[in-house]
Structures are given as structure tokens and as C-alpha cells.
Amino acid sequence: MTNSTTPITLIITQELGGMRLDQALQRLMPEHSRSRIQGWIKDGLVTIADETPTAKFKVWGGEQVQIIPQAAPEAQAFEPENIPLDVVFEDEHILVINKPAGLVVHPAAGNWSGTLLNALLYHAPQLKDVPRAGIVHRLDKDTSGLLVVAKTLAAQTNLVRQLQARTVKREYRTIVWGQVWRNGKVDQPIGRHPHARTKMAVNRMGKPAVTHYEVLDRFAVHTYMRCLLETGRTHQIRVHMQHLKAPIAGDPVYGIRGILPLRHMSDHLRTVLLNFKRQALHAIRLGLKHPVTGVQMEWQIELAADMKILLEAIRAENVPPEEADAFYVHDDDFAYEYDDEEDEDWIEEDDDAE
């Protein structure tokens, strides 16, 4: 727990007799939610006569309760944290970051600290005066690559308008399962999955979404691709690749779950794939007009190191494509838990915008 505050001593009143401890305390401290009080009890921060009761403990009135309250986790959401940033470009107006996989962009339930926003507030304290610390688009936690941040309100307004006008150029690289034979685009609306709140899906009631894709290299059971975003919906590339029946390698939500085409893979490739625990998706290029000078700017970075290793392992295979079809073996290690970090639509949802 963080941010201990002054201990509180309360007397359970007689009219609360017969209630559970958590219910009684919530009546006495209505400014705190019952779930938060239950958390304090579970963490041993609530005592009666030097004993640590459970939330279900029944009170009868007259008990003296000692409480060491803790600040809500979300209180840390906008605190500066010394988290290293890979800065690709910076001036007094904008900041371009190469975000690593595993870093959440914006605080939300389950990720109230340790985010890119916390890192930005430490790196540039003046961002506390800019909404969302200057963040105008997002990458999923496990998508790596380029992301632009506005350092002033004027720059943020300008970048938002560029995103709305679809003039910001965003190129992604991805490795997908299966063989994609031609270049093309997916023009399919995306909305919340009808049965799984944390997932998105192609949905005729969703928002318009367009992804252009190009085959860069084709292998026995994978394809290396370039994706260009015309729109920026939550999980856009991931959902559209699934729609193509070419889900992204390693994707914990929209990819192959519980099966791997292992029969015709070398031990090395099998090991690399089983240890690749994120979607193979990287924002490699970003282009926009500078919000103050109006000069067209573009940044391109290398492929993320873990994706390079995966791609090299795939390229090293020498399996004829006709021998690599439809041999799937269950592998229980290839399973993931999904950590949903995107709950709200901003001006532009970025894939990632995936």
C-alpha cells in the first residue's frame, strides 16, 4: 500500500450492532467506498482489540476500531515517476517517444502508476498543465514504437486536428500467422465485442476503420507485413488482421490461442515463438506537420529487438509452404491473460490504434 495517512479511531455505535464490520465502517465513513474499506481490512490495516478481523466479522456496538487508511491507488495516477524514456525527438512544442512493449500509456484501473504519463510528468513537469500530460494518441501496453506527445496546449490542439483530419501518417510492422498473398486494405467498422467487454470486433454498428496492408515477406506459416492506418480505432490492426484470418503472432486476445503449428518448425523457432509473449506489432514510422512551424516531419526507427529475433528465426526456416499447412499441436504454455488498459475513447484511439 502507499501513502499512509493518520490512523483513525472509531467507536461502533449501537444502532450498527449486528452488521458486518465492512458495512458498519462504510456507514461511519461514507466518503470511502465499501470495496476500499474491505481492502484495508484484508491488508490488516483495521484492528479491534489488537486483533485483525475479517470483513465479515459481526459487530455488536461499542467496539473500538483502529484504522490506518490508505490513499486510493488512483491518487497516484498523475504523479511524476522517474521512468526512463527513449526520446526520438524533442523541442519546446512536441516530444516523440519510442515506447517499449509492456509500458501502459495512460493510467486506468489496474495501472494507476508506472505509466508513460507518469514518466512524462517527471521528464517535463510543465505537462501537468496540459490535458492528459499532452498525450493525443495511444499504443497498447504490449505494442512498441513511435508516439507523439504535445508539450503545450496549443500544440495539443493542433495535433488533435491533424489526427481528426487523418493527415498524421502512421506505419506499423507486424508478423502474422498464415500466408497473405496480396496487398490490400480492410475497410470494416470496429466496435465493442458483443459478448466480451474487453475486446473489440468488426461490428456493423461500430466506428469506420480502414487499414491498408502490404506484404513485405512471406514464409511457410507467417507473413511479415506493413500496415498503414487511415483511422485510429482501439485495437484496429489486431482486429482487422483477425478479420483477414491472419491474426498477429503472439496476440493474447485476437491471435491463435492454445494451438501452434509446431510440426514443421525447428526447435529454435518453436522456442522463440513460445517465449514471445506479446503481439508482434511495432509502430515504426510517424509523420506529421510540426504544430508550430508547419514543417512536415517524419521519424522512423528500427524494428523492436524482440521482433527482430522472431523475424530472424522465421527467416532461418527452410520449410516448403506446401508442407506447412494445417498441422497444429496444442501447447498449454501458449496462453495469456488480457490486461485491458483502454476504457475510454479519446479524440483519436490509436491502435494501436492498433
Side-chain angles (χ1 to χ4, degrees), residues 83-216:
I83 300 170
L85 291 175
D86 182 358
V87 178
V88 176
F89 174 84
E90 182 174 15
D91 63 13
E92 63 268 38
H93 306 290
I94 62 173
L95 180 65
V96 177
I97 301 294
N98 178 12
K99 187 191 86 67
L103 181 64
V104 173
V105 170
H106 193 277
N111 295 290
W112 292 116
S113 62
T115 69
L116 176 62
L117 183 144
N118 299 114
L120 289 170
L121 290 172
Y122 184 91
H123 178 82
Q126 70 271 26
L127 287 174
K128 71 180 187 303
D129 298 321
V130 183
R132 298 183 301 277
I135 296 170
V136 294
H137 67 130
R138 296 172 290 184
L139 296 177
D140 275 353
K141 175 183 176 181
D142 288 325
T143 295
S144 53
L146 292 171
L147 185 146
V148 64
V149 176
K151 294 179 70 175
T152 67
L153 182 58
Q156 187 179 49
T157 302
N158 182 278
L159 290 174
V160 166
R161 287 173 178 165
Q162 291 188 52
L163 286 163
Q164 291 173 330
R166 301 183 181 180
T167 58
V168 175
K169 305 302 180 186
R170 292 162 292 173
E171 177 183 330
Y172 292 76
R173 298 292 173 86
T174 187
I175 301 167
V176 302
W177 287 103
Q179 294 179 314
V180 180
W181 291 97
R182 60 181 63 86
N183 304 334
K185 75 174 181 178
V186 182
D187 185 354
Q188 294 289 337
I190 292 176
R192 285 288 173 188
H193 192 285
H195 306 299
R197 188 196 66 83
T198 57
K199 294 177 64 174
M200 308 300 288
V202 168
N203 185 331
R204 64 185 181 87
M205 302 302 292
K207 297 178 181 178
V210 179
T211 303
H212 299 264
Y213 60 90
E214 176 185 347
V215 175
L216 299 178

Side-chain angles (χ1 to χ4, degrees), residues 272-317:
V272 172
L273 280 165
L274 291 173
N275 286 286
F276 195 87
K277 301 295 187 181
R278 71 168 180 109
Q279 60 265 13
L281 186 62
H282 181 70
I284 200 166
R285 186 164 63 95
L286 176 68
L288 51 83
K289 283 187 178 180
H290 191 281
V292 174
T293 67
V295 173
Q296 185 68 38
M297 306 185 76
E298 183 175 294
W299 302 271
Q300 181 161 341
I301 55 176
E302 292 188 358
L303 195 64
D306 60 346
M307 284 184 62
K308 277 186 180 180
I309 292 170
L310 176 58
L311 193 57
E312 288 167 3
I314 292 171
R315 281 185 171 140
E317 295 291 272

Side-chain angles (χ1 to χ4, degrees), residues 18 20 33-34 49 57-59 82 94 97 102 125 129 156 161 204 212 280 320 331 335 353:
R20 289 167 41 129
S33 69
R34 186 172 164 190
F57 178 82
K58 189 166 290 188
V59 296
N82 186 8
I94 62 173
I97 301 294
D129 298 321
Q156 187 179 49
R161 287 173 178 165
R204 64 185 181 87
H212 299 264
D331 192 298

Side-chain angles (χ1 to χ4, degrees), residues 105 137-140 147 234 342 344 346 349-353:
V105 170
H137 67 130
R138 296 172 290 184
L139 296 177
D140 275 353
L147 185 146
T234 301
E342 296 180 328
E344 57 177 323
W346 292 351
E349 305 169 272
D350 215 332
D351 158 60
D352 309 30

